[in-house]
Amino acid sequence: MNHEPGQLAVLDLEPAKSDFLSETLAGLSRRPPTLPCKYFYDERGAALFQKICDLPEYYITRTETAILRLHAHEMAQCIGPRSELIGLGTGAGTKTRILLEELEAPAVYIPIDISNKQLRQSTALFRRLFPGLEILPVCADYLEPFDLPVSQRNAAREVVYFPGSTIGNFEPEEAVKFLRRIVDLCEKNGTLLIGVDLQKDRHVLEAAYNDRAGVTAQFNVNLLVRANRELGADFNPSRWRHCAIYNSGEGRIEIYLISEADQTVHIAGHVFHFWPGEKIVTEFSYKHTPEGFTALARAAGFEFVRMWTDDARLFGVFYFTVL
């Protein structure tokens, strides 16, 4: 536990700087070179992402939130009373709050997030809002295996809540492996409530990831700023341009940083050369059909129960039980 005077007790499994370094070196050595998107979320990155969520082009957050506001009561009925809610990457907790307000006598809430500061802020808020709820925050990279804290209460069932369409960052085969880990987390009586961005017109998608205000571009380039600060790299952020395109054949948004000059970058004794126009892949975001995602989940060991969506079918919140 990381427990400082006057602060919240947080199970701190935050990735070490050595993980960031090793994954960055490995990624930049590939062809095409890559940088791991999970490191977007330092303090500035988390703040920029909150701004992205409010942008007019970025439909994902407001659509998912609207679905929750309309249907959280039905979701809570499916989940049942005295649940242990395990939130993966719940961020500021806006959507989780909507769900918790509808749940019948929830026993435990375990928020898991990679951003320590945001986790502490949201946990402090939730302890004020839900004083009778046991809250056990965990700062961790939930994309990697980790152990859950032990609750003092006996919950009727484990419910993993994974909002925000982050499942789209996985290649399909990796998505199945990750969902199998959630099956193990849930155990026999467990369930999964998960947000999934659905396939749609490419213009809607590309506008969402190339906003006119340039906030997503700042968010993307901030990954280089973080590498400079934490790893001693010497990226020149002004020599890199953000770009996001929809690959319809693969059904995914592809996000790049494009080199605008012939340049060399040094990181921990390693040298990387980039020519003008060369791309670093920073994120893939797969968009699924309801049928396609249901098949993925079933391959992992989940049984489809229900999906809630908006009128335009931009986004889906899926509910599964363990097979």
Side-chain angles (χ1 to χ4, degrees), residues 25-92:
L25 295 176
L28 292 179
S29 300
R30 298 189 184 106
R31 285 295 172 264
T34 66
L35 284 171
C37 64
K38 67 185 179 183
Y39 293 107
F40 277 138
Y41 301 95
D42 63 352
E43 185 174 337
R44 182 166 186 265
L48 284 169
F49 185 71
Q50 286 303 307
K51 289 186 177 180
I52 290 170
C53 291
D54 294 330
L55 292 170
E57 301 96 333
Y58 195 78
Y59 61 87
I60 294 175
T61 303
R62 67 172 177 271
T63 304
E64 184 179 17
T65 302
I67 292 169
L68 280 161
R69 292 193 191 284
L70 280 172
H71 302 292
H73 183 69
E74 296 168 18
M75 297 174 190
Q77 287 182 318
C78 289
I79 291 169
R82 295 184 301 105
S83 59
E84 176 176 290
L85 188 68
I86 303 164
L88 302 183
T90 48

Side-chain angles (χ1 to χ4, degrees), residues 47-278:
L48 284 169
F49 185 71
Q50 286 303 307
K51 289 186 177 180
I52 290 170
C53 291
D54 294 330
L55 292 170
E57 301 96 333
Y58 195 78
Y59 61 87
I60 294 175
T61 303
R62 67 172 177 271
T63 304
E64 184 179 17
T65 302
I67 292 169
L68 280 161
R69 292 193 191 284
L70 280 172
H71 302 292
H73 183 69
E74 296 168 18
M75 297 174 190
Q77 287 182 318
C78 289
I79 291 169
R82 295 184 301 105
S83 59
E84 176 176 290
L85 188 68
I86 303 164
L88 302 183
T90 48
T94 305
K95 288 171 277 193
T96 313
R97 176 178 175 177
I98 297 170
L99 181 61
L100 278 170
E101 286 173 342
E102 294 293 340
L103 286 175
E104 181 184 350
V108 189
Y109 172 44
I110 304 177
I112 302 160
D113 205 278
I114 199 169
S115 174
N116 197 312
K117 182 178 180 180
Q118 187 164 244
L119 182 68
R120 289 178 179 277
Q121 290 173 340
S122 63
T123 299
L125 172 64
F126 275 51
R127 285 184 174 163
R128 291 195 299 271
L129 293 172
F130 306 100
L133 182 64
E134 183 182 22
I135 303 177
L136 304 172
V138 180
C139 183
D141 173 11
Y142 58 81
L143 305 181
E144 301 295 334
F146 61 90
D147 293 324
L148 289 174
V150 178
S151 168
Q152 301 301 310
R153 302 180 181 180
N154 292 320
R157 71 185 339 173
E158 287 84 14
V159 182
V160 173
Y161 179 43
F162 194 17
S165 78
T166 305
I167 192 67
N169 294 147
F170 291 91
E171 299 279 357
E173 304 81 16
E174 293 302 314
V176 172
K177 291 179 183 178
F178 180 74
L179 290 170
R180 282 180 183 145
R181 280 184 38 221
I182 294 181
V183 168
D184 294 338
L185 206 61
C186 288
E187 300 180 349
K188 192 63 179 175
N189 192 37
T191 64
L192 169 65
L193 187 69
I194 184 169
V196 180
D197 198 14
L198 302 178
Q199 291 187 4
K200 58 187 68 67
D201 181 83
R202 72 177 304 124
H203 297 99
V204 175
L205 287 165
E206 290 183 351
Y209 291 87
N210 294 288
D211 63 276
R212 287 170 291 179
V215 182
T216 309
Q218 294 176 52
F219 178 69
N220 200 8
V221 172
N222 185 60
L223 193 52
L224 306 182
V225 177
R226 181 178 186 182
N228 286 351
R229 183 181 67 251
E230 297 186 17
L231 307 181
D234 59 358
F235 284 101
N236 183 339
S238 66
R239 291 187 169 191
W240 294 87
R241 175 172 55 89
H242 163 80
C243 178
I245 61 168
Y246 182 58
N247 182 332
S248 58
E250 297 290 342
R252 69 190 183 199
I253 280 282
E254 299 177 352
I255 302 179
Y256 303 105
L257 288 166
I258 301 178
S259 175
E260 298 213 289
D262 190 89
Q263 55 185 311
T264 300
V265 176
H266 304 83
I267 309 176
H270 296 257
V271 180
F272 301 95
H273 185 80
F274 302 94
W275 61 84
E278 185 170 4

